[in-house]
Amino acid sequence: MRFTFVTLFPSIIEGYFTDSIMCRAVEGGYLRFDYLNPRDYSVDKHRKVDDTAAGGGAGMVMTPQPLSDALAHLKDESPGVHIIFTTPVGKPFSQKDARRLARKEHVAFVSGRYEGIDERVVEVFADECFSIGDYILTGGELASMVMADAIGRLVPGVLGNAKSLEMESFETDLLEAPSFTKPKSFHNLSIPSELLKGNHSKINALKKTMALSKTKYFRPERYLKFTQRDSDEK
Ligand code: ADE
């Protein structure tokens, strides 16, 4: 699968995808990451990419020309590319979206900066607009990285062990059970003894109980949904 980051600041993103799991995924041929800088498409003699907001107001807005030329170039080169704009006013990004987008061949993320992007560019080029949460970031780069990571790890072959995806929080409605490793005792706290005895049906039952209590505590709305569905199925 291919990702293109359309950003004025590619160096913010590059490091993350050239290390660890993502780096191995690139080397293994499962993922590819490219960068496209709208500034390289600016026809302004100072390579300007922003201007004052129409109607006044604080902050600058990314102008249509450099970004739309960059995106037109991208679409010429890869006509099937799926273009996502990152914005705090987009729809909330979820694991369900990650699963759906992991089946695409090429996804591009457009990161807004300053006060945002001229809305007409969004109108013309956006296939979808996503927010990663109800808070305002300095720019869309972090949001693009979050989504690319969540999508990329679902591409077959990226994670060595596909089994590890199955029980993950959000793949089911429950949050995941907590994890433990050696030593057996840490700050006077022990590993739940059932996990050390090798009885897999008991281990699974304990994990389910722990997952239920985590979900009830941290995500009561999810807990309610799960228990309602569980009782409907019985
Ligand atoms: N840009 C700034 N804040 C954002 C957010 N919360 N989600 C996506 N893009 C953003």
Side-chain angles (χ1 to χ4, degrees), residues 78-211:
S78 177
V81 63
H82 188 79
I83 301 182
I84 292 173
F85 280 62
T86 60
T87 161
V89 300
K91 60 184 169 179
F93 180 75
S94 71
Q95 187 67 16
K96 209 164 149 194
D97 296 306
R99 274 198 299 269
R100 174 174 56 83
L101 293 163
R103 293 196 289 269
K104 302 252 178 233
E105 264 180 31
H106 186 186
V107 172
F109 294 101
V110 181
S111 301
R113 276 269 150 180
Y114 315 120
E115 273 308 293
I117 294 169
D118 187 300
E119 187 67 15
R120 293 164 296 177
V121 185
V122 184
E123 288 268 320
V124 173
F125 288 100
D127 290 304
E128 297 184 81
C129 295
F130 279 118
S131 159
I132 61 158
D134 287 343
Y135 38 77
I136 312 289
L137 303 164
T138 317
E141 284 76 11
L142 278 173
S144 301
M145 289 162 74
V146 165
M147 289 188 270
D149 185 276
I151 297 165
R153 67 193 289 285
L154 298 179
V155 171
V158 171
L159 296 186
N161 183 4
K163 219 41 212 144
S164 70
L165 288 177
E166 250 168 52
M167 279 302 286
E168 259 182 4
S169 309
F170 304 111
E171 290 296 332
T172 70
D173 282 327
L174 291 181
L175 299 186
E176 214 172 338
S179 307
F180 300 89
T181 183
K182 295 178 198 76
K184 271 188 188 168
S185 176
F186 173 75
H187 281 248
N188 242 351
L189 298 166
S190 7
I191 296 177
S193 60
E194 219 60 80
L195 295 181
L196 304 170
K197 290 184 192 152
N199 180 331
H200 287 285
S201 66
K202 285 196 173 165
I203 289 175
N204 287 339
L206 174 66
K207 283 192 171 172
K208 173 95 182 269
T209 307
M210 292 192 293

